[in-house]
Amino acid sequence: MTAELSPAAAAQRPPPGDSARTLAVLGRYLAPLKWWMLTLAALLLASTALNLNLPQLLARFVDGARLGADADLAALTRLALTYIAFAVAVQLMNAAATYLGARVGWQATNQLRADLTGHLLSLDMAEHKERTPGELIERIDGDVTALSNFFSQFAVRVFGAGLLLLGALVMFWRVNVWIGLGVTLFAALTLWAMNRVRKIGVEPTRRERESSAQLYGYVEERLAGLDDVRALGAGEHHLRGFLQVQREFFRNFLASWKARATVWQLSMGLFAAGYVAILSAAVGLYAAGTITLGTAFLLYSYMSMVEEPIDQLSQQLQDLQKAAASLSRIGELLALRSELPSGTQELSAGAPELAFDRVSFRYSPDSEPVLKDVSFSLPAGQMLGLLGRTGSGKTTLTRLVSRLYDPSAGAVRLGGVPTTNLSLTGLRARVAVVSQDVQVFQASVRDNLTFFDPQVPDEQVAAALREVGLGDWLDGLAEGVQTPLPTGSLSAGQQQLLAFARVLLRDPAVVILDEPSSRLDPATEATLTAAMTRLLRGRTAIVIAHRLETVARADQILVLGAGEVLEFGAREQLAADPKSQYAALLRASAGADEESAEALMEELLV
């Protein structure tokens, strides 16, 4: 198991190194876009410079217009046209900056989604058992979506607002030192107070994101088990559970919204006082004859330029609170490391020998062992029929071969090399697993076989389908391998054959079949058996079965009971030995129907 915080613990307090992780995530995904960001900065600088000149032009226009008949009409016209040109240029630059900011944001977040998905897929099974698929979807999509506005608008608005605020303060100092000093202190106090208040919203927002992930996890689990929920009449119970989870999410959402709104409320209150102060100062100076009417208007305009960026900052600080919570949670996931470090050796070409050397395994240190001192050796290119009662450890044994877990004791060897010494990527590429439940994607036939790999040619996909006996089915498709596969369009047998075709495309050295014919009728099973024979030819294979017909062609038989090896040997020798459990199973199942044979196996394997 990983040493990271559980989701529940993470909701209570931020993980160690939270700020460092946040900065690391920002740097990693924004650094490659530095040239775009420099262009963005140049646009914002130019836009701010023009924006700061607009009140100057307006002040000169007001002072010139007050002269009445003595006013220079040509000069006023030039001022008006210049003002319009500057205003249009500011809008165009702001539009370009917004476009670049959005482009930066989407490129950064899309890359983050891809990396986060790849990282989660690289984690071991122990970590995935701690989180539901729905929760992980919310982490990958929900948390990253919360960052999209942060990445796309934060740089534009915050950097631009900072430049505008600084420029407005400089202008205040140029007009009047004391007014400049007063407004500078006011802006500093406002920013300090807002930053202090901002921190209030981070933890409530973290709880909101956690409860959102819990809600997605709850919905995903119930949708996945919808048939069972309906069959057992448990819809009302699960609906009550959904309302309870939804209620918790709403409470956390409301609490986080109130905490974030505090920043905006504080900004409104402070600027109400600020406007009163600046207007009082402007009226007083104008009445004393110290400044002109245009300059008084200038002071008011620059005060709005102080308010605008701080208001932008207050809005972005709310987004920053969301982003900080999401970045922290994303940082947690990226900081997780698999307990299955990759080795460096590669599996040699051809089918390898498989050996278990005194292997024991338990899923957690305080749980009962699932496998106990298991030892056997399967020669290269042979097929092992794996028999045992439900819960005897059959599936766990195969998970150790594909290295979804490592043994608690002992060693699993492929080609004489411990699996812990093999490259994890190379091992997974050479070991293929076909489970009872085949995942069919809402995609084309070729994408379902190649897992969306565009480099596999269509001809190779079609050849694999014909190899497993799906040639007639393929010929009946309107668009061949490019035909979309809607959900529920394949029978159980077709799904298993589709899974076999996937394995053929990979051309692995080791194949593991987990109950490949458990859901099939006899006619379909015959087709599947023929395809399985072609699939396993020249490969080392393990076939888990509850029906003896499934392992009738196995070279070796291994019988497990309560995690221990009850019997292991060549199939023909065990069948000929009247004292063996395999022979007893053959005798008991002779003449029995399918369901009776499976029940007898469960009863006799003790």
Side-chain angles (χ1 to χ4, degrees):
M1 309 296 274
T2 61
E4 299 297 320
L5 292 175
S6 67
Q12 300 299 321
R13 62 184 180 88
D18 188 55
S19 298
R21 287 178 184 171
T22 298
L23 292 175
V25 172
L26 284 175
R28 178 177 177 181
Y29 292 99
L30 291 180
L33 307 172
K34 58 186 177 183
W35 294 113
W36 286 11
M37 296 192 70
L38 287 173
T39 304
L40 179 61
L43 284 171
L44 292 173
L45 281 169
S47 172
T48 301
L50 293 179
N51 208 10
L52 289 171
N53 277 289
L54 292 178
Q56 298 280 353
L57 296 171
L58 199 56
R60 289 166 58 188
F61 186 90
V62 169
D63 286 339
R66 286 189 71 248
L67 297 176
D70 297 330
D72 187 345
L73 187 58
L76 290 176
T77 302
R78 285 195 299 272
L79 286 171
L81 292 175
T82 304
Y83 183 92
I84 293 172
F86 279 18
V88 171
V90 167
Q91 293 302 316
L92 291 175
M93 289 180 182
N94 285 340
T98 301
Y99 169 78
L100 277 180
R103 188 77 180 267
V104 167
W106 280 111
Q107 184 152 336
T109 51
N110 285 342
Q111 185 61 49
L112 177 56
R113 281 190 183 91
D115 290 350
L116 196 57
T117 301
H119 179 71
L120 288 174
L121 290 174
S122 73
L123 297 178
D124 53 78
M125 291 294 293
E127 181 60 40
H128 283 282
K129 285 184 176 295
E130 292 186 2
R131 295 177 172 87
T132 65
E135 181 184 352
L136 293 178
I137 290 171
E138 169 65 3
R139 288 280 188 116
I140 294 171
D141 187 62
D143 282 341
V144 177
T145 298
L147 293 178
S148 61
N149 182 60
F150 174 75
F151 276 140
S152 63
Q153 298 296 325
F154 190 81
V156 176
R157 294 184 177 178
V158 171
F159 184 59
L163 288 174
L164 188 59
L165 176 60
L166 181 61
L169 292 177
V170 170
M171 292 300 181
F172 271 116
W173 281 83
R174 290 181 61 184
V175 173
N176 185 285
V177 173
W178 294 108
I179 293 179
L181 177 60
V183 174
T184 301
L185 291 175
F186 168 79
L189 174 65
T190 302
L191 290 172
W192 175 82
M194 289 169 57
N195 185 59
R196 295 280 294 181
V197 173
R198 175 190 68 82
K199 297 177 182 178
I200 298 174
V202 173
E203 187 56 30
T205 302
R206 182 195 297 274
R207 288 195 294 270
E208 177 197 351
R209 302 305 308 162
E210 288 290 347
S211 59
S212 176
Q214 294 297 325
L215 175 63
Y216 273 79
Y218 186 93
V219 172
E220 182 275 333
E221 284 187 323
R222 272 63 192 176
L223 289 178
L226 190 59
D227 291 342
D228 291 334
V229 172
R230 287 173 172 171
L232 298 174
E236 185 177 348
H237 167 74
H238 289 295
L239 180 59
R240 285 197 299 269
F242 169 76
L243 292 176
Q244 183 176 354
V245 176
Q246 176 81 332
R247 189 180 299 113
E248 183 65 21
F249 168 68
F250 178 73
R251 287 173 181 165
N252 286 328
F253 166 76
L254 197 59
S256 67
W257 178 83
K258 288 179 179 177
R260 293 194 301 267
T262 306
V263 177
W264 176 79
Q265 293 168 348
L266 175 66
S267 174
M268 289 291 292
L270 289 173
F271 269 99
Y275 270 110
V276 170
I278 200 68
L279 286 173
S280 299
V283 170
L285 291 172
Y286 176 71
T290 307
I291 61 174
T292 65
L293 181 61
T295 303
F297 188 80
L298 184 72
L299 292 175
Y300 178 82
S301 298
Y302 280 134
M303 188 62 185
S304 67
M305 286 190 176
V306 171
E307 181 193 18
E308 181 183 346
I310 292 183
D311 184 54
Q312 289 278 5
L313 288 170
S314 69
Q315 294 180 26
Q316 289 304 307
L317 285 175
Q318 295 184 45
D319 287 334
L320 180 59
Q321 291 166 352
K322 294 181 182 179
S326 296
L327 278 169
S328 174
R329 285 157 49 82
I330 289 170
E332 287 177 33
L333 289 183
L334 291 176
L336 294 175
R337 291 294 177 266
S338 174
E339 289 290 313
L340 305 176
S342 177
T344 57
Q345 292 182 250
E346 295 295 337
L347 199 59
S348 57
E353 176 192 12
L354 170 63
F356 273 58
D357 184 8
R358 303 183 65 85
V359 170
S360 296
F361 177 77
R362 60 182 73 211
Y363 282 100
S364 63
D366 55 349
S367 65
E368 291 294 320
V370 182
L371 296 177
K372 307 168 189 174
D373 202 30
V374 174
S375 294
F376 69 89
S377 179
L378 179 66
Q382 289 197 8
M383 170 182 167
L384 174 69
L386 187 54
L387 305 175
R389 301 182 65 177
T390 301
S392 60
K394 303 187 299 296
T395 300
T396 299
L397 184 148
T398 61
R399 286 174 175 172
L400 298 183
V401 177
S402 57
R403 209 183 168 208
L404 296 179
Y405 296 93
D406 279 341
S408 304
V412 179
R413 294 186 173 87
L414 282 172
V417 181
T419 54
T420 52
N421 293 350
L422 292 170
S423 161
L424 197 56
T425 303
L427 172 66
R428 300 269 173 84
R430 301 293 304 282
V431 177
V433 181
V434 179
S435 64
Q436 300 178 49
D437 300 318
V438 180
Q439 178 65 52
V440 178
F441 302 101
Q442 285 188 313
S444 67
V445 173
R446 68 154 288 122
D447 285 340
N448 267 282
L449 263 67
T450 64
F451 289 109
F452 306 92
D453 183 357
Q455 297 181 352
V456 180
D458 288 355
E459 294 76 15
Q460 191 173 345
V461 175
L465 288 170
R466 298 187 188 282
E467 180 71 15
V468 299
L470 286 176
D472 292 340
W473 172 78
L474 176 63
D475 293 336
L477 298 179
E479 301 176 50
V481 296
Q482 298 294 341
T483 304
L485 278 183
T487 302
S489 62
L490 297 179
S491 67
Q494 288 173 326
Q495 289 180 25
Q496 286 288 347
L497 292 173
L498 193 74
F500 285 3
R502 286 173 177 170
V503 174
L504 284 173
L505 282 177
R506 286 181 54 188
D507 191 23
V510 179
V511 177
I512 298 171
L513 304 181
D514 190 351
E515 305 284 359
S517 60
S518 62
R519 302 182 295 161
L520 307 181
D521 58 84
T524 306
E525 184 179 1
T527 303
L528 189 74
T529 300
M532 188 170 68
T533 302
R534 291 191 291 271
L535 173 67
L536 302 183
R537 187 180 299 120
R539 296 181 172 93
T540 304
I542 300 177
V543 179
I544 300 176
H546 272 163
R547 291 190 290 184
L548 296 178
E549 292 85 352
T550 308
V551 295
R553 295 174 178 79
D555 300 291
Q556 307 286 329
I557 296 293
L558 175 64
V559 181
L560 279 179
E564 299 182 56
V565 176
L566 302 182
E567 190 168 81
F568 174 71
R571 179 182 57 81
E572 294 180 352
Q573 292 180 359
L574 292 178
D577 183 358
K579 297 181 180 180
S580 75
Q581 293 201 40
Y582 180 64
L585 288 171
L586 290 174
R587 291 193 300 270
S589 62
D593 59 29
E594 180 181 319
E595 292 186 3
S596 300
E598 291 188 25
L600 280 169
M601 182 180 290
E602 286 288 316
E603 181 180 347
L604 292 175
L605 288 176
V606 295

